[in-house]
Amino acid sequence: MDTMDENEAGKVPRRKYSPANSRLPSEIPLLGLGCSSFSTFFSSQEEESLTVDTISREHIAVQGWIETIRHAVLNRGIYLLDTAPWYGHGISEITVGYALDILLIDDSENEEERTKNCSRGNSILPKIQRRKRTGSLPRSRLVINTKVGRYDAHPLHQFDFSYDTTIKSVHRSLERMNCAYIDVIQLHDPEFAPLSLLKEETIPALLECRKRGWVKAIGLTGYPLEIQHQILVECQGLSVDGIVFDQSLVYCHNNLHDMSLYCDSCFPSLVDDLKGGEKDERITYAQFCQQSHIHLVAAAPLSMGLLTMDGPPSW
């Protein structure tokens, strides 16, 4: 039986993450597993025919992806998985679900309460059909994050931040990954959405998902630090307790060629310096997140292949 031996050599070290915010994990591995490559985004010839309608766990490429996830979790202690509906337009989430089926213990009876039907207007979500799991790990041993807002390849259908689509997307992600809950649900590239739409539709939908226990925490992802800062500042008062976002994920800003996450002091400080500092003091985005009690994840530490011999993907 596969088990995750915490004393085994070769594991990625863990760090304290959020002992004060119970919605987030108290600790996480120093490295997480980005799951965009478990899709046709980096496709070889045998993978190009895969779609959400044709994918199966018997496909040779999918078997390789499942084994990669299994090895990362059990042998390397990388138990944080970050995926999205956009990655392979559903293929990545389905692959993660296949891997979880062999990693997690079957506890479907105790998970039913988390995924009761939800309705708003004429939108009614069907009951999620659970697959039997054959692993040995409890769900609480893994951190499984996904996203909403970005979906299809066609430009006209690529982004949708509406309330109903957001609710349906979370529900679909739970079904694809055979999970009762998502640890962190994240706005995917919100720089492509009007702020008013995020405030009126997307964030209320995510707060509803958090209230129902479908997701534990809410985050956002994206490239422009300025956009993330604007959203965090202007949307934090939308929930009853004043806390909307628990986490921010940024990418390619903590690299050899770009250290702006920690070096560019261009955001207003939230607190006055107690020693009489200037009120217009500027701080970095990392410092802003620390002041706002928003936990920070830095993705793409290898610059998405920019500094490799092969270079980054064509897209």
Side-chain angles (χ1 to χ4, degrees):
M1 179 181 295
D2 286 331
T3 59
M4 190 161 62
D5 183 358
E6 294 183 356
N7 298 318
E8 187 179 342
K11 296 288 185 69
V12 170
R14 293 175 294 184
R15 63 176 289 263
K16 295 294 183 183
Y17 188 57
S18 180
N21 184 344
S22 61
R23 292 195 288 254
L24 290 170
S26 59
E27 62 179 20
I28 58 174
L30 285 176
L31 290 176
L33 183 61
C35 298
S36 63
S37 60
F38 307 135
S39 71
T40 53
F41 277 11
F42 305 88
S43 60
S44 59
Q45 188 171 359
E46 70 268 15
E47 299 163 11
E48 290 179 353
S49 61
L50 281 175
T51 68
V52 291
D53 298 318
T54 63
I55 187 174
S56 73
R57 63 182 78 232
E58 287 76 31
H59 192 285
I60 185 171
V62 177
Q63 289 180 350
W65 296 337
I66 294 171
E67 174 56 25
T68 298
I69 297 172
R70 190 202 67 82
H71 175 75
V73 172
L74 296 179
N75 300 333
R76 292 294 177 253
I78 304 174
Y79 56 85
L80 189 160
L81 309 179
D82 184 89
T83 184
W86 167 248
Y87 300 159
H89 316 302
I91 291 176
S92 176
E93 286 190 329
I94 293 172
T95 300
V96 169
Y98 289 159
L100 296 181
D101 287 346
I102 65 172
L103 286 170
L104 298 182
I105 193 170
D106 191 60
D107 194 24
S108 55
E109 291 184 2
N110 295 330
E111 294 177 347
E112 291 298 324
E113 282 298 309
R114 284 186 177 269
T115 50
K116 286 182 176 179
N117 291 351
C118 171
S119 63
R120 180 187 191 248
N122 295 322
S123 176
I124 301 177
L125 301 178
K127 182 179 179 180
I128 291 177
Q129 300 299 315
R130 294 282 176 212
R131 300 188 301 271
K132 187 172 179 60
R133 298 188 295 222
T134 59
S136 60
L137 300 178
R139 169 66 180 85
S140 59
R141 293 294 298 275
L142 300 185
V143 180
I144 303 169
N145 301 341
T146 190
K147 307 174 183 73
V148 297
R150 192 168 190 175
Y151 304 105
D152 295 336
H154 194 286
L156 294 179
H157 307 291
Q158 189 169 142
F159 295 97
D160 190 336
F161 291 90
S162 66
Y163 185 103
D164 285 342
T165 297
T166 300
I167 292 284
K168 290 176 181 177
S169 178
V170 172
H171 187 271
R172 184 175 60 239
S173 295
L174 291 170
E175 186 164 39
R176 284 173 172 169
M177 296 190 290
N178 199 24
C179 284
Y181 67 90
I182 294 161
D183 286 280
V184 185
I185 191 69
Q186 302 160 102
L187 291 178
H188 199 171
D189 296 339
E191 59 265 31
F192 294 99
L195 183 58
S196 59
L197 178 62
L198 298 178
K199 295 171 72 172
E200 295 168 10
E201 297 272 342
T202 324
I203 291 173
L206 296 182
L207 290 172
E208 178 67 18
C209 291
R210 191 169 70 184
K211 176 182 175 182
R212 290 179 174 271
W214 295 357
V215 306
K216 284 191 170 184
I218 298 174
L220 72 168
T221 74
Y223 184 77
L225 301 181
E226 295 81 4
I227 298 296
Q228 287 213 32
H229 176 267
Q230 180 187 19
I231 293 171
L232 291 172
V233 168
E234 298 199 25
C235 296
Q236 280 297 76
L238 296 180
S239 67
V240 175
D241 62 2
I243 300 175
V244 173
F245 293 103
D246 304 286
Q247 178 178 289
S248 168
L249 183 149
V250 303
Y251 64 94
C252 293
H253 291 299
N254 185 30
N255 314 84
L256 288 174
H257 66 94
D258 184 342
M259 285 293 294
S260 55
L261 181 62
Y262 292 98
C263 295
D264 287 1
S265 299
C266 55
F267 302 101
S269 176
L270 298 179
V271 295
D272 292 336
D273 189 273
L274 297 178
K275 297 181 180 180
E278 296 293 334
K279 290 187 177 181
D280 62 351
E281 176 191 3
R282 296 283 161 166
I283 59 176
T284 66
Y285 185 76
Q287 290 172 319
F288 165 79
C289 288
Q290 184 178 31
Q291 288 185 0
S292 304
H293 306 290
I294 295 168
H295 290 73
L296 186 60
V297 176
L302 301 179
S303 307
M304 303 176 72
L306 178 65
L307 303 180
T308 67
M309 295 296 292
D310 292 336
S314 60
W315 42 264

